[in-house]
Amino acid sequence: MARKFYITTPIYYVNARPHIGHAYTTIACDTVARRQRMLGADTFFLTGTDEHGQKIERAAQAAGKTPQQYADETSGEFRALWKRMGITNDDYIRTTETRHKKRVQELFKRIRDKGYIYKGTYTGQYCVSDELYVDGAQPGDPCPICGRITETVHEENYFFRLSAFQDKLLELYANPDFIRPETRRNEVIAFVRSGLRDQSISRSTFSWGIPVPDDPEHVIYVWFDALANYVTAIGYGSSHAGAQEAFRKYWPADVHMIGKEIVRFHCVYWPAFLLAAGLELPKAIVAHGWLLFEENKMSKSRGNIVRAETILDVLGADALRYFLLREIVFGQDGSFSFDALVQRYNADLVNGLGNLNSRILTMIHRYFHGEVPYPSHSVAKSPADAAIADTAQRSIREFGAYFDQYQFSRALEAAWSLIAAVDRYIVENEPWSLGEKHDDVSRARLATVLYTSAEALRIAAALAHPVMPEATARIWEQMGLGDIRKLALADLAWGQLRLGTRLGSVSPVFPRADKSAIERMQQMEDQQRGTVADEAKAAESAAPVKTQPGQTVASAAANDGGKISIDDFARVELRVGMVKMAERVPKSDKLLRLEVDIGTEVRQVVAGIAEAYAPETLVGRKVVIVANLAPRKLRGLESNGMIVAASLEDGKPVLASFLEEVPVGARLK
Ligand code: MSP
C-alpha cells in the first residue's frame, strides 16, 4: 500500500482578502504535495478558512453584513484564488460548516470527559486582532504579537488544563524534527520552560462561534475551533464509517506548515489539546518567515499588501511560485518587490530554463527532423558529456535532499546549476557549427551534444515540476514526453530519454517581461489600494477615520446608526505629542513631514496640514495623535500615526489643542 502524506496550511481568517503572504504558505504546501504525489505517496493536502471569533464578528459588523455573509464572501475569494492558481488541495474546510462544528464539539467533550477542561473565571487582557489571551498584561498594555492595545475581559470561562502538559511537551520538543526551524524550536522550548498557565478556551461576551456542548451561553475559543480543523476535515468525531476510515488513514499530519507568528498556537496549545484527547501528534510543524513589503510584514492592517491576481495577470502563477520559493530562504523573512520579481523571472526563467528549452528543441527540429537523436557510443565522445550526466545525477540527489528539509531555494539552486552547466556545455560544443558540417564524425558529435542537452533539460524540468507545474508540463509536451504528472519521480535518473522520441512543436515557455511589466503591476496595485485617492483624502483632513475601512471607529459607526461601544472607542489610542521637527514634503502642496514626540518614542507622521500651517509654527506645539494607526506610506514616506484636526468647510484643518498644560504622552480617553 502506498505511503500516506498529510499536509496542511493554516486556515486563513476571513477578515482580510487573500494576498501573496497567504499565497506564499499555500504555494509552499502545494509544491510539497505535488512532489509527494510524484513520489507515489497517497497525499492529502488541506486548506481552508477560519471564520469564527470576535475579530470576524466585528469586521462583519463594520462592513454592515452578518458574520456568515461576510465569511461566505471572503472564503469564496480564497477558494477562487486557489483554483485560479491551480492549487491542488484535496479539501477546503470552513469552520462554519456543520461537519466541522459538530466534530469540534466532540473533541471538546472528549477532553472535558478526560478531566482537562473545567469552569473558572478569567480576568485579564485579550487581543482581538490575534484572538490571544495575553498573560501577565495590564490594562493598556499592547499585544506582544501585533502591538495593538489589549482589551480587558472579565468572564466566566471554561479553562483547559495546559499546566498539566509542560513536561510532556518538553519531551516532545526533544525530537529536533518536531518544530522547524531550530530558532523557532528554541523559542518554544524557552516559553514552555518558563511555566504554563491554564488557558481559557471559551468566551461568553459574544456569540459568533461554536457553542460549548451542554452550555450554549459560551462559545468555544476560536483557536481551539480553528486548530481542530486539522482533524475534523479528515473525519475526526464523525459517525460515518468512511470519514472514520479517512481519519485513521491520514492522521497524524506529516506537516503543519505555518507562518512564524502562530508558532505558539501550533507547537504548544495544539499538541496539548491532542495529548489531552489521547490523539496522536503531528509529525512536524514547519514555520516560515514573513513576506515583507516596503520593509514591513505584508498585512491588511498595514495596508501594504500585494495581491496575487496582479502577478497572475502579468507573469502567471508559475512566476510567482518560482520567485517566492527561490528568492526567500524558507524560515527567514524576505522582501517582495516587483523589480526583484521581474529580474528573477527574466534571468532564471526567460533566459534560463525557457531559453534552454527553445534552443535545444529548435536544433533537434532543424538537424534531426524533430526526433531525439542517437548519441554515439563509440565515436565522438567527450569527457564533457559525462560531466553533464554527473551534474544531472548530483542535481537530482541534492534537489531531493534540500527539498525534504524544506530548503526550497537551495533545491532550486541545485536544479539551476544543471541548467547553467548545460548552457556552458552548449556554448563550448557549438552544435550550430557541427550542424553546418556533414561528415559522419560531426553528425555523431552533434547527436551526442543534443541528446545530452535534451536529457539534462528533461531532468531539470522534472525536478522543477512541483514548483512550476504549468511551464514544465509545456516543456514536457514540447519534448514529446506526454503528461508530466505520470512521471515517477522516485525513478528519475540519467539516460531515460528515449531515442527517437518525436518532439512536439516548440514555442516560448516564458515570454520576456520588460520594464512596463513592473509599472503595470505597480499601477494595478496602486489602483487597488487607492493610494492616490488616499493621499488626497489624507491631505484634506488629518482625521484618521477615513483611511482604514473596517478598522476604525468611524466605519464601524457608519453601519450602526452612528453609535459605537466604549470598547470600540478604547481601541483608538489617542495621545498628546509634541512636534520636534516639521518640514514640507517635496512636490506636495498639502503634506508636511513631522517628527512627533509621544512620550515613549519620536514618531514620523505625514500630515495633510501644509496649507493651514507653516512648518516653523508647529515646532514645540502640542498636538493630539492617533498612536495606534497602522503605518502607511505617503509620497514614499512612512507615516506612523495621524494628527487630529477639525475639518472645516473651506477644507483647511485646525489642529486639536489644550487650554491647560498637558504632559507629552498622556492618553486621551
Ligand atoms: N486563522 C489563523 C490561523 C489558524 S490555523 C489553525 C491565522 N490566519 S491568518 O489569515 O492571519 O493567516 C496567517 C497565515 O497566513 C500565516 O501563518 C502565514 O501562513 C500566512 N501569511 C499571512 N501574511 C503573511 C506574510 N506577510 N508573510 C508570510 N506569511 C503570511 O493566523
Side-chain angles (χ1 to χ4, degrees):
M1 227 173 62
R3 168 179 65 88
K4 73 89 187 170
F5 187 83
Y6 177 30
I7 183 167
T8 65
T9 72
I11 47 171
Y12 303 108
Y13 283 132
V14 288
N15 70 317
R17 307 172 82 180
H19 56 71
I20 59 169
H22 306 114
Y24 180 43
T25 322
T26 305
I27 286 170
C29 288
D30 185 61
T31 303
V32 174
R34 283 175 185 268
R35 185 171 157 91
Q36 286 295 335
R37 289 190 198 103
M38 287 173 84
L39 289 170
D42 174 351
T43 304
F44 197 88
F45 167 23
L46 178 68
T47 189
T49 41
D50 186 354
E51 307 185 3
H52 288 129
Q54 197 166 9
K55 162 159 134 161
I56 308 298
E57 191 180 72
R58 283 185 182 171
Q61 196 190 8
K65 296 183 177 147
T66 66
Q68 191 64 59
Q69 276 171 338
Y70 184 80
D72 288 348
E73 280 169 23
T74 321
S75 183
E77 281 187 45
F78 273 97
R79 194 196 285 253
L81 176 64
W82 304 148
K83 188 155 190 274
R84 179 169 175 204
M85 288 175 64
I87 299 296
T88 58
N89 53 299
D90 296 286
D91 198 353
Y92 185 90
I93 180 107
R94 300 184 53 190
T95 56
T96 51
E97 285 174 72
T98 310
R99 60 166 175 161
H100 174 75
K101 292 194 278 194
K102 281 191 175 155
R103 296 172 191 179
V104 166
Q105 289 177 323
E106 286 302 315
L107 183 66
F108 191 98
K109 273 197 258 176
R110 177 158 164 158
I111 298 177
R112 190 172 60 189
D113 290 348
K114 289 185 184 269
Y116 291 111
I117 290 178
Y118 63 92
K119 219 169 184 179
T121 305
Y122 179 84
T123 301
Q125 298 307 115
Y126 192 77
C127 170
V128 176
S129 178
D130 289 298
E131 301 280 14
L132 173 75
Y133 291 95
V134 186
D135 285 342
Q138 301 301 316
D141 280 357
C143 164
I145 297 182
C146 68
R148 290 183 181 82
I149 300 299
T150 52
E151 296 180 19
T152 306
V153 294
H154 175 78
E155 290 175 54
E156 189 186 48
N157 279 344
Y158 284 90
F159 279 79
F160 172 69
R161 243 178 249 292
L162 184 62
S163 56
F165 294 95
Q166 180 161 354
D167 294 341
K168 285 211 182 76
L169 288 171
L170 288 170
E171 271 169 41
L172 178 63
Y173 308 146
N175 167 9
D177 291 335
F178 183 66
I179 303 174
R180 283 189 257 195
E182 184 72 20
T183 44
R184 302 275 100 84
R185 175 171 167 246
N186 294 339
E187 284 165 16
V188 171
I189 292 176
F191 173 75
V192 173
R193 278 211 186 114
S194 73
L196 293 177
R197 305 218 316 217
D198 289 354
Q199 175 74 26
S200 170
I201 52 161
S202 72
R203 300 287 313 270
S204 57
T205 50
F206 70 98
S207 58
W208 183 236
I210 303 176
V212 166
D214 315 316
D215 197 352
E217 293 298 299
H218 295 255
V219 293
I220 295 175
Y221 175 41
V222 63
W223 271 100
F224 184 96
D225 164 351
L227 287 161
N229 92 88
Y230 300 135
V231 291
T232 61
I234 52 166
Y236 171 81
S238 168
S239 50
H240 295 292
Q244 288 173 353
E245 177 57 33
F247 181 67
R248 267 197 300 277
K249 176 163 154 197
Y250 289 114
W251 190 253
D254 292 80
V255 191
H256 292 314
M257 201 176 275
I258 57 172
K260 66 180 183 182
E261 77 289 355
I262 53 177
V263 162
R264 192 176 295 175
F265 296 105
H266 282 79
C267 300
V268 182
Y269 301 162
W270 179 228
F273 295 154
L274 291 167
L275 285 167
L279 294 174
E280 277 187 83
L281 300 172
K283 293 191 195 141
I285 295 155
V286 177
H288 61 69
W290 284 340
L291 209 58
L292 312 177
F293 190 60
E294 293 165 347
E295 287 157 36
N296 284 308
K297 181 188 177 205
M298 190 177 288
S299 70
K300 174 191 160 181
S301 56
R302 286 181 197 274
N304 65 342
I305 63 156
V306 173
R307 295 164 320 127
E309 290 85 340
T310 298
I311 298 162
L312 302 185
D313 282 353
V314 177
L315 297 177
D318 280 0
L320 175 62
R321 295 170 70 102
Y322 176 80
F323 176 77
L324 292 176
L325 296 180
R326 173 66 187 83
E327 183 83 2
I328 297 167
V329 176
F330 204 72
Q332 296 177 15
D333 292 352
S335 288
F336 177 84
S337 78
F338 290 114
D339 283 355
L341 169 67
V342 168
Q343 206 204 323
R344 243 197 208 289
Y345 172 81
N346 279 334
D348 296 5
L349 303 184
V350 180
N351 298 341
L353 182 59
N355 185 37
L356 194 69
N357 179 66
S358 338
R359 253 171 135 185
I360 297 170
L361 302 191
T362 305
M363 284 192 279
I364 295 178
H365 271 287
R366 182 173 312 147
Y367 302 126
F368 293 97
H369 308 292
E371 276 183 15
V372 171
Y374 289 50
S376 162
H377 287 294
S378 49
V379 283
K381 286 292 268 184
S382 134
D385 312 333
I388 291 292
D390 286 349
T391 306
Q393 293 285 26
R394 196 172 53 243
S395 291
I396 296 173
R397 269 196 318 275
E398 288 183 359
F399 189 97
Y402 285 130
F403 203 98
D404 288 346
Q405 294 298 317
Y406 303 98
Q407 297 192 37
F408 304 112
S409 65
R410 300 195 77 169
L412 287 167
E413 250 179 84
W416 258 252
S417 68
L418 174 61
I419 292 174
V422 185
D423 265 337
R424 276 195 305 275
Y425 172 80
I426 293 177
V427 170
E428 283 160 13
N429 288 281
E430 299 188 7
W432 48 88
S433 310
L434 294 169
E436 299 301 304
K437 300 177 188 154
H438 300 286
D439 60 290
D440 287 351
V441 176
S442 299
R443 282 295 290 175
R445 181 81 202 122
L446 179 62
T448 301
V449 171
L450 290 181
Y451 179 87
T452 305
S453 306
E455 174 57 342
L457 170 67
R458 183 186 73 92
I459 287 173
L463 293 176
H465 178 62
V467 179
M468 291 189 291
E470 280 173 35
T472 49
R474 288 177 55 205
I475 294 178
W476 217 250
E477 270 164 31
Q478 294 187 19
M479 290 188 80
L481 298 173
D483 184 352
I484 193 167
R485 288 170 305 178
K486 299 209 173 111
L487 170 75
L489 195 58
D491 303 330
L492 182 69
W494 183 264
Q496 292 164 332
L497 177 59
R498 289 228 314 275
L499 309 177
T501 303
R502 208 116 205 102
L503 303 188
S505 57
V506 185
S507 63
V509 186
F510 301 105
R512 182 168 298 281
D514 57 23
K515 265 215 143 48
S516 72
I518 302 178
E519 281 157 23
R520 258 183 26 241
M521 287 189 283
Q522 254 154 1
Q523 265 167 14
M524 285 161 86
E525 283 306 291
D526 283 351
Q527 269 166 12
Q528 184 69 23
R529 271 186 239 152
T531 43
V532 181
D534 253 0
E535 179 171 347
K537 277 188 190 166
E540 272 169 29
S541 159
V545 291
K546 294 185 182 172
T547 58
Q548 296 279 324
Q551 283 278 313
T552 62
V553 176
S555 50
N559 297 300
D560 196 17
K563 299 281 193 296
I564 59 165
S565 73
I566 189 77
D567 283 353
D568 286 330
F569 177 67
R571 294 175 63 217
V572 182
E573 190 191 342
L574 295 168
R575 291 200 183 269
V576 176
M578 176 180 304
V579 179
K580 309 282 284 180
M581 200 283 273
E583 64 181 15
R584 289 190 171 279
V585 170
K587 297 192 208 135
S588 169
D589 297 337
K590 297 187 173 172
L591 297 180
L592 291 185
R593 185 181 84 80
L594 309 176
E595 286 178 12
V596 183
D597 183 355
I598 58 163
T600 46
E601 62 185 301
V602 175
R603 293 275 188 90
Q604 169 168 289
V605 177
V606 180
I609 54 174
E611 288 180 324
Y613 294 91
E616 54 283 5
T617 62
L618 291 172
V619 176
R621 179 167 176 163
K622 286 190 178 147
V623 291
V624 176
I625 170 168
V626 185
N628 63 339
L629 199 65
R632 41 195 244 111
K633 284 218 165 167
L634 290 169
R635 296 264 167 165
L637 293 170
E638 187 168 281
S639 184
N640 262 299
M642 212 161 222
I643 309 283
V644 176
S647 182
L648 303 188
E649 287 286 284
D650 65 0
K652 283 202 179 158
V654 176
L655 291 177
S657 55
F658 299 93
L659 295 174
E660 284 85 14
E661 203 39 54
V662 281
V664 167
R667 182 147 185 203
L668 281 77
K669 299 189 200 177

